[in-house]
Amino acid sequence: MASMESAADRTFRLRWERWSPDIRSGLAAVHHDRVDEVLARVETILRSAAAARPDDLRELDEARLLRPDWLQDPSMMGYVAYTERYAGTLTGVGERLDHLTSLGVSYLHLMPLLRPREGSNDGGYAVADHRSVRPGLGTMDDLSALAARLRERGMSLVLDLVVNHVAVEHEWAERAIAGDPKYRDYFITYPDRTEPDAWERTLPEVFPDFAPGNFTWNERMGRWVWTTFNAYQWDLNWANPDVFCEFLDIICTLANRGVEVFRLDAIAFIWKRLGTTCQNQPEVHQLTQALRQAVRIAAPAVAFKAEAIVSPDDLIAYLGAGEHHGLVSDMAYHNSLMVQLWSSLAARDTRLTEVALDRFAAKPTTTTWGTYVRCHDDIGWAVTDADAAAAGLDGFAHRAFLSDFYAGLAPGSFARGLVFQHNPATGDRRISGSCASLAGLETALTSEDEGRITDAVARHLMLHAVVMGFGGVPLLYMGDELGMLNDADWATEAGHEDDNRWVHRPRMDWDLLAAAEADHASPHGRILVGMRHLIGVRRLTPHLHASVESRVVPSPDPRLLVLRRDHPVGAMVQVYNFSEETVWVDAQPFADALGPAAVDLISGHRWNLATDRVSIQPYQPLWWVADR
Ligand code: GLC
């Protein structure tokens, strides 16, 4: 029989032998006695997906199996954009790839583009149909064509997979509303308030402002529906294996269209347990493991990125802690780094950042961070009272200071942000705003003060230097490559008026880009040139491979952040000055780490460390390696 086996069958058999035990153990933890039945369904889905996999993607599978660390390579550079805001349509994006190539982009995350509900749809995170593209952007075939064009340029297409919920207009929800028991079991619903009230005792609110509470009454069903986010986003019941099989099939279908990385949106929320916050439950990781290993069989080129905006202790599990090591997501957002950058910038003090980064256990060496300065969401001040206390701060007061600072309310603030979701119960005020506006460029340009403009440009570049130097895939948010400011007209679009996150989701300003290209000495020109330079240096720096951890070195001065990376090619020491002052420090510790002479890879300057003191310029980033 073996001699009759086709090459494709052999490949499937070998992969199934390799990875199905991990699918089984993930499923077994959740579905117990039904595991054989579910596994059989999984195999059927995978067999047809593998058979339908186009040839060029099979080649990519082979290439990725030969280079399993592809996402960890310093050449990986991410870019995040809304299709319509970047170039109108999917075909339009394909015609605007030169700009991305000029930035060295190798990973393109197009924000939610599967067909959402009409009207308010949470920026596309309320998906009404997983099998079609949002009207106006193009078709599924356009998506495949774009993916192929991206592949030719060495760019991976990244899409959101909204796993926690679907829109109330999704076919599953409509069938549930119509009374079909199969689909009713896709959701979590209750006849009266007894259970919702019990759950609410420990559930936080994600959108306290425009979607208070976690349950929504559906008149047609006469039931309360679990809706963690907006009332029109219905949470899925992942305890039902049908939901798992549906998503496996959706992933395989999209993977066969050329999607290479799936961003698991709001993954932390998919498992509910009474008496908890219903985030980060162990079953989340069991289910992710089963899904991840299943997808490997049909599409080994594919990777998973976890969108889990959770505490450091909980976050590592998304990259694989304990038994899940190497079996769950390949990548996760480093939210804490992002928050700490803004905190250090406002305070001109990095001590809290040191405490917060020190909290992180080493991540599995096969995984990577998604590092970022800004994304499409607001910034929530994820600073714990314990970390604040360890840095000599009061947590509540510091979070309030950060909100005031970035809303432009604190004396001396350079920032122009907006308060998002003020929660009177906790005092939390999250912040919206573009990177450049938060970093002071908007205020500086209005003042026409050259010194302030220089500082704002330097801040913008230094923040990006940190995320590019940290190790992981830097995710450059559209417009930040040239320092686009807040969109003053954000509220004029229908459906956006209540959600000020749109202030930092502008349309790509191609005229501003052309002006920046034409005048590299202008503020936007300096940002553009500086960003391209950082990206170019990064890709040539092996020390930045993501298998190596960045470790915090206790800083000789509170205004400086010092990171160290110990790669087999040699040590790298990074220094960042979070203040507008020149800082002098003792050179000896740096000489101990690097030897008497170092070169800063960013500026190319050689440094003599066999000296008493060295000076770090305002907002200067340094990537030092030994100068041999
Ligand atoms: C994620 C998205 C956010 C969205 C939420 C609900 O956190 O980043 O934009 O509102 O999920 O889908």
CSV table of all heavy atoms in Angstrom, one decimal, residues 211-252:
chain,number,residue,atom,x,y,z
A,211,ALA,N,-20.9,51.0,25.5
A,211,ALA,CA,-21.4,49.6,25.6
A,211,ALA,C,-21.3,49.1,27.1
A,211,ALA,O,-20.6,48.1,27.3
A,211,ALA,CB,-20.8,48.7,24.6
A,212,PRO,N,-22.0,49.7,28.0
A,212,PRO,CA,-21.8,49.2,29.4
A,212,PRO,C,-22.4,47.8,29.6
A,212,PRO,O,-23.3,47.4,28.9
A,212,PRO,CB,-22.7,50.3,30.2
A,212,PRO,CG,-23.5,51.0,29.2
A,212,PRO,CD,-22.9,50.9,27.9
A,213,GLY,N,-21.8,47.1,30.5
A,213,GLY,CA,-22.3,45.7,30.8
A,213,GLY,C,-21.8,44.8,29.7
A,213,GLY,O,-21.2,45.1,28.7
A,214,ASN,N,-22.1,43.5,30.0
A,214,ASN,CA,-21.6,42.4,29.1
A,214,ASN,C,-22.7,41.6,28.5
A,214,ASN,O,-22.4,40.6,27.9
A,214,ASN,CB,-20.6,41.5,29.9
A,214,ASN,CG,-19.3,42.2,30.3
A,214,ASN,OD1,-18.4,42.2,29.5
A,214,ASN,ND2,-19.2,42.8,31.4
A,215,PHE,N,-23.9,42.0,28.7
A,215,PHE,CA,-25.0,41.2,28.2
A,215,PHE,C,-26.0,42.2,27.5
A,215,PHE,O,-26.1,43.3,27.9
A,215,PHE,CB,-25.7,40.4,29.3
A,215,PHE,CG,-24.8,39.4,29.9
A,215,PHE,CD1,-24.0,39.8,31.0
A,215,PHE,CD2,-24.7,38.1,29.4
A,215,PHE,CE1,-23.1,38.9,31.5
A,215,PHE,CE2,-23.8,37.2,30.0
A,215,PHE,CZ,-23.0,37.6,31.1
A,216,THR,N,-26.7,41.7,26.5
A,216,THR,CA,-27.6,42.5,25.7
A,216,THR,C,-28.9,41.7,25.6
A,216,THR,O,-28.9,40.5,25.2
A,216,THR,CB,-27.0,42.9,24.3
A,216,THR,OG1,-25.8,43.5,24.5
A,216,THR,CG2,-28.0,43.8,23.6
A,217,TRP,N,-30.0,42.4,25.8
A,217,TRP,CA,-31.3,41.7,25.7
A,217,TRP,C,-31.7,41.7,24.2
A,217,TRP,O,-31.6,42.7,23.5
A,217,TRP,CB,-32.4,42.5,26.4
A,217,TRP,CG,-33.8,42.0,26.3
A,217,TRP,CD1,-34.8,42.6,25.6
A,217,TRP,CD2,-34.3,40.8,26.8
A,217,TRP,NE1,-35.9,41.8,25.6
A,217,TRP,CE2,-35.7,40.7,26.4
A,217,TRP,CE3,-33.8,39.8,27.6
A,217,TRP,CZ2,-36.5,39.7,26.8
A,217,TRP,CZ3,-34.6,38.7,28.0
A,217,TRP,CH2,-36.0,38.7,27.6
A,218,ASN,N,-32.0,40.5,23.7
A,218,ASN,CA,-32.5,40.3,22.3
A,218,ASN,C,-34.0,40.1,22.4
A,218,ASN,O,-34.4,39.0,22.8
A,218,ASN,CB,-31.7,39.2,21.6
A,218,ASN,CG,-32.2,39.1,20.1
A,218,ASN,OD1,-33.1,38.5,19.8
A,218,ASN,ND2,-31.5,39.9,19.3
A,219,GLU,N,-34.7,41.0,21.9
A,219,GLU,CA,-36.2,41.0,21.9
A,219,GLU,C,-36.7,39.8,21.2
A,219,GLU,O,-37.6,39.1,21.6
A,219,GLU,CB,-36.7,42.3,21.4
A,219,GLU,CG,-38.2,42.6,21.6
A,219,GLU,CD,-38.5,42.6,23.1
A,219,GLU,OE1,-37.8,43.3,23.9
A,219,GLU,OE2,-39.4,41.9,23.5
A,220,ARG,N,-36.2,39.6,20.0
A,220,ARG,CA,-36.7,38.5,19.1
A,220,ARG,C,-36.5,37.1,19.7
A,220,ARG,O,-37.3,36.2,19.6
A,220,ARG,CB,-36.1,38.6,17.7
A,220,ARG,CG,-36.6,39.7,16.9
A,220,ARG,CD,-35.8,40.1,15.7
A,220,ARG,NE,-35.7,39.0,14.7
A,220,ARG,CZ,-34.7,38.9,13.8
A,220,ARG,NH1,-33.7,39.8,13.8
A,220,ARG,NH2,-34.7,38.0,12.9
A,221,MET,N,-35.4,36.9,20.4
A,221,MET,CA,-35.2,35.6,21.1
A,221,MET,C,-35.8,35.6,22.4
A,221,MET,O,-35.9,34.5,23.0
A,221,MET,CB,-33.6,35.4,21.2
A,221,MET,CG,-33.1,34.5,20.1
A,221,MET,SD,-31.4,33.9,20.4
A,221,MET,CE,-30.6,35.2,21.3
A,222,GLY,N,-36.0,36.8,23.0
A,222,GLY,CA,-36.4,36.8,24.4
A,222,GLY,C,-35.4,36.3,25.3
A,222,GLY,O,-35.7,35.6,26.3
A,223,ARG,N,-34.1,36.6,25.0
A,223,ARG,CA,-33.0,36.2,25.9
A,223,ARG,C,-31.9,37.2,26.0
A,223,ARG,O,-31.8,38.1,25.1
A,223,ARG,CB,-32.4,34.9,25.3
A,223,ARG,CG,-33.4,33.7,25.3
A,223,ARG,CD,-32.8,32.5,24.7
A,223,ARG,NE,-31.8,31.7,25.5
A,223,ARG,CZ,-32.1,30.8,26.4
A,223,ARG,NH1,-33.4,30.5,26.6
A,223,ARG,NH2,-31.2,30.2,27.1
A,224,TRP,N,-31.1,37.1,27.1
A,224,TRP,CA,-29.9,37.9,27.2
A,224,TRP,C,-28.8,37.2,26.5
A,224,TRP,O,-28.6,36.0,26.6
A,224,TRP,CB,-29.6,38.0,28.7
A,224,TRP,CG,-30.5,38.9,29.5
A,224,TRP,CD1,-31.6,38.5,30.2
A,224,TRP,CD2,-30.5,40.3,29.6
A,224,TRP,NE1,-32.2,39.6,30.7
A,224,TRP,CE2,-31.6,40.7,30.4
A,224,TRP,CE3,-29.6,41.3,29.1
A,224,TRP,CZ2,-31.8,42.0,30.6
A,224,TRP,CZ3,-29.9,42.6,29.4
A,224,TRP,CH2,-31.0,43.0,30.1
A,225,VAL,N,-28.0,38.0,25.7
A,225,VAL,CA,-26.9,37.4,24.9
A,225,VAL,C,-25.6,38.0,25.5
A,225,VAL,O,-25.5,39.2,25.8
A,225,VAL,CB,-27.1,37.9,23.5
A,225,VAL,CG1,-26.0,37.2,22.6
A,225,VAL,CG2,-28.4,37.5,22.9
A,226,TRP,N,-24.6,37.1,25.6
A,226,TRP,CA,-23.3,37.6,26.0
A,226,TRP,C,-22.7,38.5,24.9
A,226,TRP,O,-22.5,38.0,23.8
A,226,TRP,CB,-22.4,36.4,26.3
A,226,TRP,CG,-21.2,36.7,27.2
A,226,TRP,CD1,-20.3,37.7,27.0
A,226,TRP,CD2,-20.8,36.1,28.4
A,226,TRP,NE1,-19.4,37.7,28.0
A,226,TRP,CE2,-19.7,36.7,28.9
A,226,TRP,CE3,-21.3,35.0,29.1
A,226,TRP,CZ2,-19.0,36.4,30.0
A,226,TRP,CZ3,-20.7,34.6,30.3
A,226,TRP,CH2,-19.5,35.3,30.7
A,227,THR,N,-22.4,39.7,25.3
A,227,THR,CA,-21.8,40.7,24.4
A,227,THR,C,-20.7,41.4,25.1
A,227,THR,O,-21.0,42.5,25.7
A,227,THR,CB,-22.8,41.7,23.8
A,227,THR,OG1,-23.5,42.3,24.9
A,227,THR,CG2,-23.9,41.0,23.0
A,228,THR,N,-19.5,40.9,25.1
A,228,THR,CA,-18.4,41.6,25.9
A,228,THR,C,-18.1,43.0,25.4
A,228,THR,O,-17.9,43.9,26.1
A,228,THR,CB,-17.1,40.7,25.8
A,228,THR,OG1,-17.4,39.4,26.3
A,228,THR,CG2,-16.0,41.4,26.6
A,229,PHE,N,-18.1,43.1,24.1
A,229,PHE,CA,-17.8,44.4,23.5
A,229,PHE,C,-19.0,45.2,23.2
A,229,PHE,O,-19.7,45.5,24.1
A,229,PHE,CB,-16.9,44.1,22.2
A,229,PHE,CG,-15.5,43.5,22.6
A,229,PHE,CD1,-15.4,42.2,22.8
A,229,PHE,CD2,-14.4,44.4,22.8
A,229,PHE,CE1,-14.1,41.6,23.2
A,229,PHE,CE2,-13.2,43.8,23.2
A,229,PHE,CZ,-13.1,42.5,23.4
A,230,ASN,N,-19.3,45.5,21.9
A,230,ASN,CA,-20.6,46.2,21.7
A,230,ASN,C,-21.8,45.3,21.7
A,230,ASN,O,-21.7,44.1,21.5
A,230,ASN,CB,-20.4,46.9,20.3
A,230,ASN,CG,-19.4,48.1,20.3
A,230,ASN,OD1,-19.7,49.1,21.0
A,230,ASN,ND2,-18.3,47.9,19.7
A,231,ALA,N,-23.0,45.9,21.8
A,231,ALA,CA,-24.2,45.1,21.8
A,231,ALA,C,-24.4,44.3,20.6
A,231,ALA,O,-25.0,43.3,20.6
A,231,ALA,CB,-25.4,46.1,22.1
A,232,TYR,N,-23.8,44.8,19.5
A,232,TYR,CA,-24.0,44.1,18.2
A,232,TYR,C,-22.9,43.1,17.9
A,232,TYR,O,-22.9,42.5,16.9
A,232,TYR,CB,-24.1,45.1,17.0
A,232,TYR,CG,-22.9,46.1,17.0
A,232,TYR,CD1,-21.6,45.7,16.5
A,232,TYR,CD2,-23.1,47.4,17.4
A,232,TYR,CE1,-20.6,46.6,16.5
A,232,TYR,CE2,-22.0,48.3,17.3
A,232,TYR,CZ,-20.8,47.9,16.9
A,232,TYR,OH,-19.7,48.8,16.9
A,233,GLN,N,-22.0,42.9,18.9
A,233,GLN,CA,-21.0,41.8,18.7
A,233,GLN,C,-21.3,40.7,19.7
A,233,GLN,O,-21.1,40.8,20.9
A,233,GLN,CB,-19.6,42.4,19.0
A,233,GLN,CG,-19.1,43.4,17.9
A,233,GLN,CD,-17.9,44.2,18.4
A,233,GLN,OE1,-18.1,45.0,19.4
A,233,GLN,NE2,-16.8,44.2,17.7
A,234,TRP,N,-21.7,39.6,19.2
A,234,TRP,CA,-22.2,38.4,20.0
A,234,TRP,C,-21.0,37.5,20.3
A,234,TRP,O,-20.4,36.9,19.3
A,234,TRP,CB,-23.3,37.7,19.3
A,234,TRP,CG,-24.6,38.4,19.3
A,234,TRP,CD1,-24.9,39.7,19.5
A,234,TRP,CD2,-25.9,37.7,19.2
A,234,TRP,NE1,-26.2,39.9,19.5
A,234,TRP,CE2,-26.9,38.8,19.3
A,234,TRP,CE3,-26.3,36.4,19.1
A,234,TRP,CZ2,-28.2,38.5,19.3
A,234,TRP,CZ3,-27.7,36.1,19.0
A,234,TRP,CH2,-28.6,37.2,19.1
A,235,ASP,N,-20.7,37.3,21.5
A,235,ASP,CA,-19.7,36.3,21.9
A,235,ASP,C,-20.0,34.9,21.5
A,235,ASP,O,-21.2,34.5,21.6
A,235,ASP,CB,-19.4,36.3,23.4
A,235,ASP,CG,-18.7,37.6,23.9
A,235,ASP,OD1,-19.0,38.7,23.4
A,235,ASP,OD2,-17.8,37.5,24.7
A,236,LEU,N,-19.0,34.2,21.0
A,236,LEU,CA,-19.2,32.8,20.5
A,236,LEU,C,-19.0,31.9,21.7
A,236,LEU,O,-18.2,32.1,22.6
A,236,LEU,CB,-18.2,32.5,19.4
A,236,LEU,CG,-18.6,33.2,18.1
A,236,LEU,CD1,-17.4,33.4,17.2
A,236,LEU,CD2,-19.8,32.5,17.4
A,237,ASN,N,-19.6,30.7,21.6
A,237,ASN,CA,-19.5,29.7,22.6
A,237,ASN,C,-18.5,28.6,22.2
A,237,ASN,O,-18.8,27.7,21.5
A,237,ASN,CB,-20.9,29.0,22.7
A,237,ASN,CG,-20.9,27.8,23.7
A,237,ASN,OD1,-19.9,27.7,24.5
A,237,ASN,ND2,-21.9,27.0,23.6
A,238,TRP,N,-17.3,28.9,22.6
A,238,TRP,CA,-16.2,28.0,22.2
A,238,TRP,C,-16.2,26.6,23.0
A,238,TRP,O,-15.4,25.7,22.6
A,238,TRP,CB,-14.8,28.7,22.4
A,238,TRP,CG,-14.5,29.6,21.3
A,238,TRP,CD1,-14.9,30.9,21.2
A,238,TRP,CD2,-13.7,29.2,20.1
A,238,TRP,NE1,-14.4,31.4,20.0
A,238,TRP,CE2,-13.7,30.4,19.3
A,238,TRP,CE3,-13.0,28.1,19.7
A,238,TRP,CZ2,-13.0,30.4,18.1
A,238,TRP,CZ3,-12.3,28.1,18.5
A,238,TRP,CH2,-12.3,29.3,17.7
A,239,ALA,N,-17.2,26.5,23.9
A,239,ALA,CA,-17.3,25.1,24.5
A,239,ALA,C,-18.0,24.2,23.5
A,239,ALA,O,-18.1,23.0,23.7
A,239,ALA,CB,-18.2,25.3,25.8
A,240,ASN,N,-18.6,24.8,22.4
A,240,ASN,CA,-19.2,24.0,21.4
A,240,ASN,C,-18.2,23.7,20.3
A,240,ASN,O,-17.7,24.6,19.6
A,240,ASN,CB,-20.4,24.9,20.8
A,240,ASN,CG,-21.1,24.2,19.7
A,240,ASN,OD1,-20.7,23.1,19.2
A,240,ASN,ND2,-22.2,24.8,19.2
A,241,PRO,N,-17.9,22.4,20.1
A,241,PRO,CA,-16.9,22.0,19.1
A,241,PRO,C,-17.3,22.5,17.6
A,241,PRO,O,-16.4,22.6,16.8
A,241,PRO,CB,-16.8,20.5,19.1
A,241,PRO,CG,-18.0,20.1,19.9
A,241,PRO,CD,-18.5,21.2,20.8
A,242,ASP,N,-18.6,22.8,17.4
A,242,ASP,CA,-18.9,23.3,16.1
A,242,ASP,C,-18.2,24.6,15.8
A,242,ASP,O,-17.9,24.9,14.6
A,242,ASP,CB,-20.5,23.5,16.0
A,242,ASP,CG,-21.2,22.2,15.9
A,242,ASP,OD1,-20.6,21.1,15.8
A,242,ASP,OD2,-22.5,22.3,16.0
A,243,VAL,N,-18.1,25.4,16.8
A,243,VAL,CA,-17.5,26.7,16.7
A,243,VAL,C,-16.0,26.5,16.3
A,243,VAL,O,-15.5,27.2,15.4
A,243,VAL,CB,-17.6,27.6,17.9
A,243,VAL,CG1,-16.8,28.8,17.9
A,243,VAL,CG2,-19.1,27.9,18.2
A,244,PHE,N,-15.4,25.6,16.9
A,244,PHE,CA,-14.0,25.3,16.6
A,244,PHE,C,-13.8,24.8,15.1
A,244,PHE,O,-13.0,25.3,14.4
A,244,PHE,CB,-13.5,24.2,17.5
A,244,PHE,CG,-12.0,23.8,17.3
A,244,PHE,CD1,-11.0,24.4,18.0
A,244,PHE,CD2,-11.7,22.8,16.4
A,244,PHE,CE1,-9.7,24.0,17.8
A,244,PHE,CE2,-10.4,22.4,16.2
A,244,PHE,CZ,-9.4,23.1,16.9
A,245,CYS,N,-14.7,23.9,14.7
A,245,CYS,CA,-14.6,23.4,13.4
A,245,CYS,C,-14.9,24.5,12.3
A,245,CYS,O,-14.3,24.6,11.3
A,245,CYS,CB,-15.6,22.2,13.2
A,245,CYS,SG,-15.0,20.8,14.1
A,246,GLU,N,-15.9,25.4,12.6
A,246,GLU,CA,-16.2,26.5,11.7
A,246,GLU,C,-14.9,27.3,11.5
A,246,GLU,O,-14.5,27.7,10.4
A,246,GLU,CB,-17.3,27.4,12.3
A,246,GLU,CG,-18.6,26.8,12.4
A,246,GLU,CD,-19.5,26.9,11.1
A,246,GLU,OE1,-18.9,27.2,10.1
A,246,GLU,OE2,-20.7,26.6,11.2
A,247,PHE,N,-14.2,27.7,12.7
A,247,PHE,CA,-13.1,28.6,12.6
A,247,PHE,C,-11.9,27.9,11.9
A,247,PHE,O,-11.2,28.5,11.1
A,247,PHE,CB,-12.7,29.2,13.9
A,247,PHE,CG,-13.4,30.4,14.2
A,247,PHE,CD1,-14.6,30.5,14.9
A,247,PHE,CD2,-12.9,31.6,13.7
A,247,PHE,CE1,-15.3,31.6,15.1
A,247,PHE,CE2,-13.6,32.8,13.9
A,247,PHE,CZ,-14.8,32.8,14.6
A,248,LEU,N,-11.7,26.6,12.1
A,248,LEU,CA,-10.7,25.9,11.4
A,248,LEU,C,-10.9,26.0,9.9
A,248,LEU,O,-10.0,26.2,9.1
A,248,LEU,CB,-10.6,24.4,11.9
A,248,LEU,CG,-9.5,23.6,11.2
A,248,LEU,CD1,-8.1,24.2,11.4
A,248,LEU,CD2,-9.6,22.1,11.7
A,249,ASP,N,-12.1,25.8,9.5
A,249,ASP,CA,-12.4,25.8,8.1
A,249,ASP,C,-12.2,27.2,7.5
A,249,ASP,O,-11.7,27.4,6.4
A,249,ASP,CB,-13.9,25.3,7.9
A,249,ASP,CG,-14.1,25.1,6.4
A,249,ASP,OD1,-13.4,24.3,5.8
A,249,ASP,OD2,-15.1,25.7,5.9
A,250,ILE,N,-12.6,28.2,8.3
A,250,ILE,CA,-12.4,29.6,7.8
A,250,ILE,C,-10.9,29.9,7.7
A,250,ILE,O,-10.5,30.5,6.7
A,250,ILE,CB,-13.1,30.6,8.8
A,250,ILE,CG1,-14.6,30.5,8.8
A,250,ILE,CG2,-12.6,32.1,8.6
A,250,ILE,CD1,-15.3,31.1,9.9
A,251,ILE,N,-10.1,29.5,8.7
A,251,ILE,CA,-8.7,29.8,8.6
A,251,ILE,C,-8.1,29.1,7.4
A,251,ILE,O,-7.3,29.7,6.6
A,251,ILE,CB,-8.0,29.3,9.9
A,251,ILE,CG1,-8.4,30.1,11.1
A,251,ILE,CG2,-6.5,29.4,9.7
A,251,ILE,CD1,-7.9,29.6,12.4
A,252,CYS,N,-8.5,27.8,7.2
A,252,CYS,CA,-7.9,27.1,6.0
A,252,CYS,C,-8.3,27.8,4.7
A,252,CYS,O,-7.5,27.9,3.8
A,252,CYS,CB,-8.3,25.7,6.1
A,252,CYS,SG,-7.6,24.7,7.4
